[in-house]
Amino acid sequence: MNTLSKLATALALGSILAAPAFAAPETYVVDGTHTFPRFSYSHFGYSTQLSRFDRTTGTVVFDKAAKTGSVDIVIDTRSVDTGFGTFNEHIQGEDFLDTAKYPTATFKSTRVVFDADKPVAVEGQLTLKGVTRPVTLTLTSFQAMPHPMLKKNAIGANAFTVVKRSEFNAGKYAPYVGDEVRIDIAVEAIAP
């Protein structure tokens, strides 16, 4: 190789190495010990009942530089926890979650909405009891930073949406037991 070719190769290689690095999307795995979807509804107007699901899995992809992301969540509906064992079975019955036939609920994002560098909403499809409908999760908080104990990148968020249970074939006793159900999710996810 002649000197001119060597110099051109060195300059090209130098410019590649000196080029700014582009942040790539990072995938995070949902931390099931810190991720709990909850749901609340009016019980005959007497009180707002609050229950949760104890087992959730999934992945979150986040690219701060490109302002993009995606969310894929699976909720084990058999893990519903109302605070009272026999009522768990009632909620799992055919009139409500029908967990024998539909043991999971899923949320798959179609778009993440950003305000400056932070996501503020996640649009997607919620599938519950075999019915898929569009929903928008509103983020009330979001954090992306290295986890202080695990020493890995991590993200966390709190989000909510409101759905009508009758639109998911779970409307028994409405309107006495509220048709509108607020779903809140606290999620944390860790980079592998």
Side-chain angles (χ1 to χ4, degrees), residues 5-173:
S5 293
K6 287 180 186 175
L7 181 58
T9 302
L11 287 173
L13 183 58
S15 66
I16 290 171
L17 294 176
F22 289 97
E26 190 163 13
T27 299
Y28 300 83
V29 177
V30 168
D31 175 0
T33 61
H34 293 96
T35 300
F36 296 102
R38 299 173 311 276
F39 62 96
S40 56
Y41 56 92
S42 171
H43 186 250
F44 295 100
Y46 295 126
S47 64
T48 299
Q49 294 295 297
L50 180 63
S51 300
R52 77 178 203 182
F53 296 99
D54 291 334
R55 289 189 298 272
T56 302
T57 58
T59 56
V60 178
V61 177
F62 178 62
D63 187 336
K64 183 177 178 178
K67 297 182 183 176
T68 62
S70 65
V71 178
D72 190 350
I73 299 290
V74 178
I75 301 167
D76 181 346
T77 54
R78 298 166 298 185
S79 73
V80 67
D81 184 354
T82 65
F84 189 65
T86 56
F87 197 61
N88 293 349
E89 295 169 15
H90 177 64
I91 294 295
Q92 289 183 50
E94 289 180 24
D95 291 333
F96 299 104
L97 296 174
D98 197 2
T99 61
K101 194 171 184 181
Y102 306 103
T104 61
T106 61
F107 176 80
K108 295 185 184 296
S109 66
T110 55
R111 178 175 172 243
V112 178
V113 179
F114 280 73
D115 181 11
D117 290 338
K118 285 196 175 184
V120 294
V122 181
E123 298 170 357
Q125 299 287 320
L126 174 65
T127 301
L128 178 63
K129 203 174 175 183
V131 177
T132 301
R133 300 189 69 78
V135 299
T136 298
L137 295 172
T138 300
L139 275 64
T140 58
S141 68
F142 178 81
Q143 179 70 275
M145 66 180 203
H147 193 286
M149 295 173 66
L150 300 176
K151 308 301 183 202
K152 295 180 177 182
N153 287 341
I155 58 171
N158 289 290
F160 77 93
T161 191
V162 176
V163 300
K164 288 190 174 189
R165 60 189 179 91
S166 59
E167 293 179 346
F168 292 91
N169 297 327
K172 184 141 186 169
Y173 304 123

